[in-house]
């Protein structure tokens, strides 16, 4: 699944880095580095990180019954 | 429109075409669906990839922490679009409401959104630009090729241009232990965006991290070896640097060539639009069916004297796309202005640099908190007695406060005491921006146009 962090919003609270240190890591005192794509089975972890962010800066692929909306299947059309 | 219900019909069965399948295009498409657009949506993109995020390309990707093909943007909702990827738009017929594509196809629209963005400005000498080992960094393919080359352990990398992208590339190289020379025409890195006072700090950071930073010089020639691989660069001061990787980081050019002759007000500086994101035609009349968003747009901002701002900022692309999409589906009384306060970030040499407002309009700067020598401070920019911008180095938490001052046109210098005010922050000093009349490359903010209530064209001092 894909994710992006709005780094204008990010204040470096690092809640995400505590919850999923292999995906989110502080780089220096205040910069956040993250992996923009993680395995699909991490969806629950990511949902926790999204919810824990005090400034709601993390966005992930929407969860829809039919799988990721607008993924490669759509691009091939 | 409501007289004959045509807006309802547009929402139900209209045709919307988005040219540009990157951040702005995707967010606009999602917003259109969120607002109930049920008609046909076509996304046209010149790159063969689904929308991906560019900021990681000069950071995570060059650090080897993510690969360039894994930076796709998350989908916040289904957009149910026809995707025409890898097919650039080549022309626009405004009268027939048709977009021409490179493969000869034509796509008709009722509403068009142009979000074609910018591309990296190439090295001007074509034969030198084609040498192996010479790169630009803008696209996923650029990043992939550059990362591969860095992974091979070049003896020295030369970065031409110390704007944000160039500085981030230099930072990533140093972190990987690669020797780097940075050549910058101005007196310091980042001066176009942040001025000389802050540029000095950026220069210090680079040198502290082992960058061979050379300011006040231009690269006059790139030299290749017999195999066609770059081997050296010659500088305007007569010196030569041997480098096997050269990254040309001289800012961006707007992707508007495909609109030449269409009658739309598009050119080198982008596409002019009103605050509601509607494009102007060449007569200066606003169109009602063509909208613009993202890096390619130039729109007047009430907070900054109605100057036409062209902002190559991630947050601007998102906000403008959402506003454009909203307005495309709205009656005129329901339309919203794009009045996003400019903001951007950069991560380099372990420091988080963030900014709000338009620092480059500032004539003075006050180091309101912290200290430049500690590389941790807040700089506040003043213009005609008001706060116009702010920058923080590792002091993100204060930035929002200064954004409020900008939004409320608070007086400059701020009349109140601030936390951690140092002796250097007692008085404002000249912000030291380069003379805007001298051509330069790579500013993050370009100001132009006339304000109805402020026809002064000199908004930065001529000091260089």
């Amino acid at each position: 699944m894909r994710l992006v962090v709005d780094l204008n919003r990010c204040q470096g609270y690092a809640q995400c880095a505590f919850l999923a240190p292999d995906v989110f890591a502080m780089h220096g005192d205040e910069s956040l580095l993250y992996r923009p794509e993680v395995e699909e089975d991490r969806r629950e972890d990511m949902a926790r990180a999204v919810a824990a962010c005090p400034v709601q800066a993390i966005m992930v692929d929407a969860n829809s019954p039919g799988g990721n909306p607008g993924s490669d299947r759509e691009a091939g059309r | 429109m409501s007289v004959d219900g045509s807006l309802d019909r547009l929402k139900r069965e209209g045709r919307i075409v988005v040219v540009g399948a990157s951040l702005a295009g995707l967010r606009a498409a999602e917003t259109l669906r969120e607002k109930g657009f049920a008609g046909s949506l076509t996304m046209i993109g010149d790159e063969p990839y689904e929308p991906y995020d560019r900021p990681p390309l000069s950071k995570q990707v060059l650090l080897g922490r993510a690969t360039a093909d894994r930076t796709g943007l998350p989908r916040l909702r289904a957009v149910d679009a026809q995707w025409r990827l890898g097919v650039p738009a080549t022309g626009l017929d405004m009268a027939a409401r048709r977009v021409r594509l490179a493969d000869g196809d034509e796509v008709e629209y009722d509403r068009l959104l142009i979000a074609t963005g910018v591309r990296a400005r190439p090295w001007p000498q074509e034969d030198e630009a084609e040498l192996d080992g010479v790169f630009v960094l803008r696209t996923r393919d650029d990043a992939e090729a550059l990362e591969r080359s860095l992974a091979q352990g070049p003896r020295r990398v030369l970065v031409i241009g110390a704007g944000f992208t160039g500085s981030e590339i230099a930072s990533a190289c140093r972190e990987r232990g690669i020797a780097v020379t940075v050549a910058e025409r101005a007196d310091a890195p980042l001066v176009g965006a942040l001025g000389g006072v802050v540029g000095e700090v950026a220069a210090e950071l680079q040198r502290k991290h082992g960058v061979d930073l050379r300011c006040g010089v231009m690269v006059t020639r790139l030299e290749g070896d017999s195999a066609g691989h770059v081997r050296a660069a010659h500088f305007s001061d007569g010196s030569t640097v041997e480098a096997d990787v050269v990254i040309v980081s001289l800012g961006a050019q707007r992707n508007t060539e495909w609109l030449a002759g269409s009658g739309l007000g598009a050119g080198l500086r982008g596409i002019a639009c009103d605050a509601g994101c509607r494009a102007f035609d060449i007569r200066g009349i606003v169109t009602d069916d063509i909208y613009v968003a993202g890096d390619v747009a130039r729109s007047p901002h009430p907070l900054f004297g109605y100057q036409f701002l062209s902002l190559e900022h991630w947050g601007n692309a998102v906000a403008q796309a959402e506003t454009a999409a909203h307005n495309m589906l709205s009656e005129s009384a329901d339309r919203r202005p794009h009045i996003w306060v400019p903001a951007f970030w950069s991560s380099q040499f372990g420091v988080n640099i963030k900014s709000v407002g338009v620092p480059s309009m500032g004539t003075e700067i006050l180091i309101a908190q912290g200290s430049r020598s500690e590389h941790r401070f807040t700089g506040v920019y003043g213009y005609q007695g008001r706060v116009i911008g702010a920058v923080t180095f590792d002091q993100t938490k204060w930035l929002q406060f200064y954004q409020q001052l900008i939004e409320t046109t608070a007086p400059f210098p701020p009349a109140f005491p601030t936390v951690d005010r140092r002796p250097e922050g007692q008085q404002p000093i000249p912000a030291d921006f380069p003379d805007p009349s001298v051509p330069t490359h790579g500013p993050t903010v370009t100001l132009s146009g006339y304000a109805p209530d402020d026809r002064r064209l000199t908004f930065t001092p001529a000091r260089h």
Side-chain angles (χ1 to χ4, degrees):
Chain A
M1 67 186 297
R2 297 166 292 203
L3 65 109
V4 69
V5 181
D6 181 345
L7 291 170
N8 285 318
R9 281 185 177 223
C10 176
Q11 301 273 316
Y13 288 101
Q15 298 302 301
C16 53
F18 290 118
L19 285 164
D22 62 319
V23 179
F24 303 96
M26 297 311 290
H27 196 67
D29 288 345
E30 291 198 7
S31 297
L32 178 73
L33 276 189
Y34 61 93
R35 273 166 57 199
E37 192 175 313
V38 297
E39 302 71 31
E40 196 55 38
D41 61 11
R42 302 295 301 279
R43 186 169 278 280
E44 226 169 278
D45 285 350
M46 293 306 104
R48 267 196 289 273
V50 168
C53 177
V55 291
Q56 296 290 287
I58 307 170
M59 287 163 279
V60 299
D61 271 320
N63 201 356
S64 72
N68 278 344
S71 65
D72 301 286
R73 291 170 295 110
E74 204 168 53
R77 258 187 230 168
Chain B
M1 263 200 185
S2 57
V3 177
D4 58 358
S6 65
L7 186 60
D8 284 340
R9 200 160 62 237
L10 171 75
K11 278 188 171 178
R12 215 168 44 240
E13 58 197 44
R15 300 160 301 177
I16 295 184
V17 172
V18 177
V19 185
S22 190
L23 178 63
L26 176 64
R27 290 293 176 253
E30 289 172 343
T31 306
L32 289 167
R33 291 303 189 201
E34 186 193 352
K35 303 264 175 201
F37 176 64
S40 83
L41 183 57
T42 306
M43 305 286 295
I44 297 165
D46 62 339
E47 291 181 70
Y49 310 117
E50 288 190 52
Y52 60 88
D53 206 31
R54 296 184 200 277
L57 299 181
S58 58
K59 306 175 186 78
Q60 292 98 311
V61 172
L62 291 192
L63 288 170
R65 298 197 179 195
T67 56
D69 60 344
R70 293 279 184 267
T71 61
L73 283 160
R75 302 300 179 83
L76 308 182
R77 55 186 53 77
V79 294
D80 188 23
Q82 306 293 317
W83 293 84
R84 303 295 304 267
L85 299 176
V87 191
T90 53
L92 170 66
D93 185 334
M94 289 172 64
R97 293 183 166 179
R98 266 199 304 260
V99 174
R100 280 189 298 280
L101 303 185
D103 63 4
D105 252 13
E106 295 192 323
V107 187
E108 294 188 336
Y109 63 85
D110 299 305
R111 293 280 186 280
L112 173 67
L113 177 69
I114 300 175
T116 43
V118 302
R119 61 183 182 278
R121 178 180 281 113
W123 184 244
Q125 273 72 46
E126 266 180 51
D127 52 330
E128 297 173 12
E130 280 168 15
L131 290 169
D132 283 341
V134 177
F135 299 89
V136 293
L137 180 55
R138 174 76 194 169
T139 66
R140 178 177 143 172
D141 289 346
D142 294 338
E144 202 172 310
L146 176 56
E147 201 284 326
R148 206 180 312 128
S149 164
L150 295 183
Q152 286 166 3
R155 278 169 300 146
R156 179 168 292 274
V157 168
L158 169 66
V159 179
I160 307 175
F164 284 104
T165 305
S167 299
E168 287 177 3
I169 293 168
S171 173
C173 288
R174 287 307 301 140
E175 211 166 318
R176 295 177 71 144
I178 301 168
V180 185
T181 297
V182 172
E184 166 58 46
R185 178 158 63 176
D187 293 338
L190 314 183
V191 290
L194 298 175
V197 174
V198 175
E200 266 179 37
V201 186
E204 240 177 69
L205 274 175
Q206 295 214 3
R207 294 196 166 113
K208 185 182 142 204
H209 285 84
V211 173
D212 168 34
L213 174 65
R214 308 198 183 186
C215 296
V217 296
M218 286 188 284
V219 173
T220 51
R221 190 164 67 87
L222 299 177
E223 184 189 327
D225 61 19
S226 55
H229 196 286
V230 70
R231 62 164 294 275
H234 299 272
F235 288 18
S236 54
D237 61 2
S239 60
T240 301
V241 164
E242 287 188 14
D244 33 10
V245 170
V246 173
I247 300 133
V248 178
S249 199
L250 297 173
Q253 295 175 313
R254 272 116 191 107
N255 292 321
T256 54
E257 290 80 359
W258 68 284
L259 295 163
S262 67
L264 203 67
L268 289 176
R269 292 179 146 186
I271 304 167
C273 61
D274 73 355
C277 311
R278 295 178 299 176
F280 286 107
D281 68 16
I282 53 171
R283 302 168 301 174
I285 296 177
V286 75
T287 58
D288 218 21
D289 48 1
I290 303 177
Y291 291 71
V292 200
D295 292 4
V296 77
R298 219 158 64 81
S299 69
H301 202 307
L303 204 50
F304 302 99
Y306 295 91
Q307 301 256 14
F308 275 73
L309 297 182
S310 181
L311 301 167
E312 294 172 36
H313 297 167
W314 191 94
N316 183 65
V318 172
Q320 200 166 21
E322 289 171 356
T323 301
H326 169 88
N327 290 346
M328 287 170 102
L329 300 176
S330 296
E331 303 287 358
S332 62
D334 299 327
R335 288 187 185 134
R336 297 198 300 236
H338 174 57
I339 45 175
W340 183 78
V341 176
F344 65 85
W345 75 88
S346 171
S347 172
Q348 48 182 280
F349 304 103
V351 172
N352 196 25
I353 303 175
K354 291 178 93 163
S355 165
V356 291
V358 185
S360 62
M361 278 179 85
T363 50
E364 291 182 297
I365 185 170
L366 176 76
I367 305 302
Q369 297 175 246
S371 162
R372 289 193 300 148
S373 62
E374 292 166 17
H375 309 146
R376 186 186 291 275
F377 65 94
T378 300
V380 184
Y381 295 84
Y383 170 69
Q384 294 186 348
R386 56 173 283 206
V387 176
I388 202 83
V391 63
T392 57
F393 275 46
D394 272 352
Q395 283 200 341
T396 297
K397 62 182 174 185
W398 301 121
L399 203 58
Q400 200 171 5
F401 171 72
Y402 292 99
Q403 179 169 343
Q404 282 161 11
L405 295 187
I406 296 163
E407 287 170 353
T408 53
T409 64
F412 180 90
F416 44 79
T418 46
V419 173
D420 195 22
R421 180 82 68 101
R422 307 289 181 87
E424 68 180 290
Q426 296 308 313
Q427 293 296 327
I429 53 175
D432 194 21
F433 280 97
D435 181 352
S437 67
V438 176
T440 184
H441 297 306
T444 56
V445 174
T446 304
L447 300 170
S448 58
Y450 301 85
D453 61 344
D454 175 13
R455 290 194 173 266
R456 288 171 53 141
L457 277 176
T458 310
F459 50 82
T460 49
R463 343 191 96 258
H464 290 268

